[in-house]
Amino acid sequence: MGAKAIAEAAVSSGLEAYFGYPITPSSEIMENISVLYGERKYPWFKVFLQSASEIESVNMLFGAGAAGYVSMTATSGPGLSLMAEGISYAYASEAPFLIIDVNRGGPGLGNVAPEQSDISFVLNSLGHGGVKPIVLTPHTVQESMEHVHKGFELAFTYRTPVILLTDALIVHMYDTVEWEPPYIVKPKVDWAARGRNYGQRHIINSIYLDPPELKANKERLLQKQKEIDKIAESECFMCDENLDVLYIAIGISARISKEAVLRLRENGVKAGLFRPITLSPLDKDNLLKYSSRAEKIVSVEMNEGQLAQEIMRITRRDVDVLPYLGGYIPDVEEVAEAWK
Amino acid sequence: MEVKQFSSIYENGVTTYCPGCEHGLLLKFIGMALDELGITEKAIMVGSVGCSTLAYKFLNVDYVQAPHGRAPAIMSAIKLLEKDKVVFSIQGDGDALSIGIAELIHAANRGIPITVFMYNNMVFGMTGGQMAPTTPEGMKTTTTPFGRDIKQMGPPLDVCKVLSAFPQISYLKRVVITPKPIYTKDRIMYSSKEAMDSYKAVLNALKTQLMGGFSFVEFIGTCNVNWKMTILDSKKYVHDVGVKVYPPGLCRDAFGVDKK
Ligand SMILES: Cc1ncc(C[n+]2csc(CCOP(=O)(O)OP(=O)(O)O)c2C)c(N)n1
Ligand code: SF4
Ligand SMILES: [Mg+2]
């Protein structure tokens, strides 16, 4: 199951602390991690704690990140909403951690069926003040495992919160995977707040009362974002020639859209799929390259068109939306039909 | 006279607290205690949001700035990962008991060996003197212009009573940090008892943490600026009214550190 694979990948990749508050459909990740805690194979896995709320979880992640430890949680929309404040602080003071958001139906309590309706939330400032975490979007169980590993690495390389945005379907899916443990990330953390230890003081802070100081810090973060932009990654499936239609999708919608693309190809329609692997930073160069070759762009997503917004902003083109709302999953036939 | 330099306190550091406020005194006691116990190098302070936020400019220890009210969650994580370090925070009464009471209670209930020093000035000081859960009945604040009405707002929140319910707390104490005015024939002097008591509480709270227990000390102090009183009147208020609402005392001392 996706959740079990994510748990294995996290712990074997060097997870040192897990803090979490149960919420469907993410709880299986926490449960699967809990059984790995204390295993002799994983001596680096130091802390597993069920927090009292997502507010507590995110601040514990912040504390662990500030002290230079590899930490993560899994949650879903309502929990992510509560975490926004802590993510803003961590982003500003550069504390690394990984949050897996198993997207469920929203807004409000919504339902526990899969949706992809947290896209706008994570992309358009996840917290107050302008917050841009790295966002990864796996579309298979195998890729989920790889993204957990990559998430830890990116979090520590760039000292920033990383969101792995996935959905109830991938997390509950059974799939064959290949994984070679142990696969450890060992970050260098001479900046971490672990005590002065007869050396320099470490300050993990987001308060800059003087405007010039805050301006300088924000500019520094923006400069860092330019580096982060270089890691943008995408896949373009069957995109080698001029296209009648370019589908755009992430996660499970992308996996289903690949099927639709193959069917259209059988019928002589030149279809392709552009799939952001990192949703933030988005691979603008390739998006522009492939979209410019396509007659038509169709965004397949399990929400009202949040990804399409982003695509329209970048390509400055009209994008058709094939929306699935309330927990419905894209249908291969319907996706294929949408090229017309 | 020889002036002792405390390695945890910045040399020549001048706090920016309002004149007459005991926030700075508390900082000094913490710095002195860290040095006396020889734990400055392994101390990690988690900053709260309120007037104590600026503490990081004066205490020369590792520092993580928490969101408003969340310091106990951050401290818990750090301590669980860095077991041989000393982790503490200075929270305000609003930070700890209004927005952050859930984080405080759960950290306390788990008994994670960390230390919370709570400066209770009975208002939100930093934001300009609004009501706090601790504001005494009848006290006028910028959000209770006619005085706190306990029928609507409930009585002032007594954190020592609240935390007494949690068996895993090892040290729980309330002291007055405001020096008591003493009137003599021709001048006013201040008692030094409060400073001695407060320093002892800081020291023993940290000792408790070193012995593996959760410790919490509430310091009853002033905020003359927001109480709109003179410094002298604010100190009198603490000793005339404050101590009645918040009687000082030792609520828990599992390791017997206060007796030694
Ligand atoms: C989420 C959030 N809400 C509100 C504030 C505004 N705020 C800053 S300090 C404070 C109250 C501080 O009062 P207290 O904890 O008693 O500290 P004091 O300044 O009195 O020492 C408030 C409401 C904030 N910083 N963050
Ligand atoms: S506002 Fe009140 S609590 Fe804050 S420094 Fe001034 S007197 Fe002290
Ligand atoms: Mg206060």
Side-chain angles (χ1 to χ4, degrees), chain A residues 52-66:
Chain A
S53 70
E54 286 85 352
I55 296 179
E56 222 189 18
S57 303
V58 74
N59 284 288
M60 287 177 164
L61 293 176
F62 179 26

Side-chain angles (χ1 to χ4, degrees), chain B residues 97-170:
Chain B
L97 306 182
S98 198
I99 196 166
I101 195 161
E103 284 70 33
L104 174 64
I105 280 177
H106 286 288
N109 191 41
R110 294 185 193 111
I112 295 170
I114 55 174
T115 301
V116 174
F117 300 114
M118 190 190 90
Y119 185 84
N120 181 1
N121 54 9
M122 302 173 241
V123 287
F124 287 3
M126 181 171 245
T127 42
Q130 297 85 3
M131 183 190 68
T134 45
T135 300
E137 180 175 10
M139 189 192 234
K140 287 185 177 152
T141 70
T142 52
T143 50
T144 56
F146 308 109
R148 177 178 178 137
D149 175 4
I150 66 166
K151 281 209 194 80
Q152 193 209 0
M153 288 314 303
L157 200 151
D158 184 330
V159 66
C160 287
K161 278 189 192 153
V162 173
L163 291 185
S164 289
F166 300 104
Q168 304 249 54
I169 295 182
S170 299

